[in-house]
Every structure is written in C-alpha cells, then in structure tokens.
Amino acid sequence: MRLLIMGPPGAGKGTQAKEIARRLEIPAISTGEILRKNVEDQTLLGREARRYLDRGDLVPDEIINGMVRARLDEPDTRHGFLLDGFPRTLAQVETLDNILADEGVKLDRVLVLKVDNDELVRRLLGRAESDGRTDDTEEVIRRRLEVYSEQTEPLLGVYAQRGLLVIVKGMGEVDEVTERVLAALA
Ligand code: AMP
C-alpha cells in the first residue's frame, strides 16, 4: 500500500506512521526525521536545511525533492510506503505525482489525523520537554502551525477531490488511534 499521513504538527503523525507501517509491513518515511539526521550528522544537506528547521519554515524544494526521490528509489519501497511529512506544498504534490508516475504507481490513500488545536499545542510543548527538539519552542511551534495552515492544509482539498482522503480522529491513546486508522484502511 502507498500511503501518506497528514495532519498538523503535534497530531501524532510520526508515532502513528511508525506503528501503522510496522503493521502493514511497509517502510515509514519521515522527511523531518531524514532532515534531522542530516543536521545531526552535519552533512551538506543538513547544513543547508538547519536554519529552516530551526525557524519552523519549510526547507526549500530543491533540497527536499531530490531527497524524497532518492528515498523512494530504494528497493524497500517497492511494495509500498507510508510517507510522513511530504508533500507539504502544492508544488511537492506535483513532485510526488511525477515520481510515482515515473514508477507507474499510484497513491492508495491519504490518512489525515484530526486533533483539536489546544491539544496540539499541549502535545508540542510536552514533546519539547521530553525530546529536546530544537524546533519545539513556543515561538517556532506557532510558526509551524501557521505554515501548516497556510501551505499544507490546502493539500487536503486536492486529495479529497481525488477521492483519497481518510480522516481519522487523532485524539485519545496511541493504540486507539492506530486501531482506528487500520480499521479505516480495511
Ligand atoms: P516534521 O518532523 O515533519 O514535523 O518536520 C520538521 C521540519 O522539517 C519542518 O518544520 C520543516 O522545516 C522540515 N520539513 C519536513 N518535511 C518537509 C517538507 N516536505 N518540505 C519542507 N520542509 C520539510
């Protein structure tokens, strides 16, 4: 199955993506995670991406697109994947369409996790304390939520028109949400 998982920062995408992918036996691919690893390893890509991550801004497409294309070229994605954090802009939707068209495959579903705004901020601030992510400070969180509603939320309309959206309530325990998602996919 070829899936996307979408939703605002703090909706639980990363946590759910890992568990859902494990259950479906496909790789979970998080662009945020790949970027953070590159920053940590101080690669050229990481050095270019860092200032955007730290501000809560989107990393430019020139950096992201090649990175995603290369990852989706790896053999473990042949029978499917769950993409977390990409696409985030309309231009990236087009890039993904092109990558998939080149391989002659299509997306099966786009999962959307819905979480109330207050809960999002509470979770993000909680994560800041536990994980020490440099982009989980209050100011950067505000910026990431803004970027999401301006640039990424419009993508839901695009995928809804294609009949791919599966909207799942992301509130409650982690396992409950996973079961809800798997039931929605069945
Ligand atoms: P995430 O872990 O998905 O919340 O992503 C963390 C940060 O990585 C974002 O705030 C962006 O700075 C960057 N990022 C991740 N995915 C993308 C993407 N598809 N396009 C641009 N920037 C991204």
Side-chain angles (χ1 to χ4, degrees):
M1 232 190 296
R2 293 176 184 86
L3 305 170
L4 306 183
I5 188 161
M6 296 187 60
K13 293 187 300 292
T15 308
Q16 290 302 329
K18 287 198 184 87
E19 187 53 23
I20 295 160
R22 193 182 68 79
R23 300 272 289 265
L24 298 176
E25 299 182 28
I26 51 179
I29 301 173
S30 155
T31 45
E33 217 164 77
I34 299 173
L35 289 166
R36 281 189 290 279
K37 175 89 172 66
N38 275 277
V39 170
E40 199 183 299
D41 295 348
Q42 299 186 18
T43 65
L44 185 60
L45 190 148
R47 287 204 295 270
E48 285 175 357
R50 174 161 199 165
R51 58 198 163 113
Y52 301 97
L53 266 101
D54 283 352
R55 288 200 302 250
D57 284 331
L58 295 183
V59 172
D61 287 349
E62 307 87 84
I63 301 179
I64 290 285
N65 289 342
M67 188 184 98
V68 172
R69 191 177 268 280
R71 181 62 188 89
L72 290 179
D73 228 20
E74 306 252 336
D76 65 336
T77 64
R78 237 194 8 239
H79 302 296
F81 54 79
L82 173 48
L83 257 182
D84 158 20
F86 185 94
R88 259 176 156 94
T89 63
L90 292 167
Q92 291 182 5
V93 170
E94 210 180 311
T95 299
L96 181 61
D97 287 345
N98 291 334
I99 296 174
L100 297 179
D102 288 349
E103 290 175 17
V105 296
K106 284 194 156 72
L107 282 180
D108 293 296
R109 304 281 173 79
V110 176
L111 302 167
V112 183
L113 293 180
K114 284 266 178 210
V115 175
D116 298 344
N117 237 14
D118 290 353
E119 174 71 10
L120 288 181
V121 176
R122 201 183 59 74
R123 286 188 190 178
L124 287 165
L125 290 172
R127 185 169 78 187
E129 278 177 23
S130 60
D131 297 7
R133 260 177 66 164
T134 52
D135 61 350
D136 275 344
T137 62
E138 196 169 341
E139 192 191 337
V140 179
I141 286 170
R142 205 169 297 128
R143 176 70 191 140
R144 285 164 56 215
L145 289 167
E146 200 176 270
V147 167
Y148 176 78
S149 63
E150 284 169 7
Q151 307 205 50
T152 307
E153 217 168 12
L155 274 53
L156 300 185
V158 173
Y159 287 122
Q161 272 190 347
R162 297 186 190 180
L164 294 177
L165 277 201
V166 177
I167 299 173
V168 177
K169 198 169 76 145
M171 310 280 287
E173 297 298 318
V174 171
D175 306 1
E176 277 170 21
V177 179
T178 308
E179 293 309 324
R180 250 178 245 147
V181 171
L182 291 171
L185 286 176

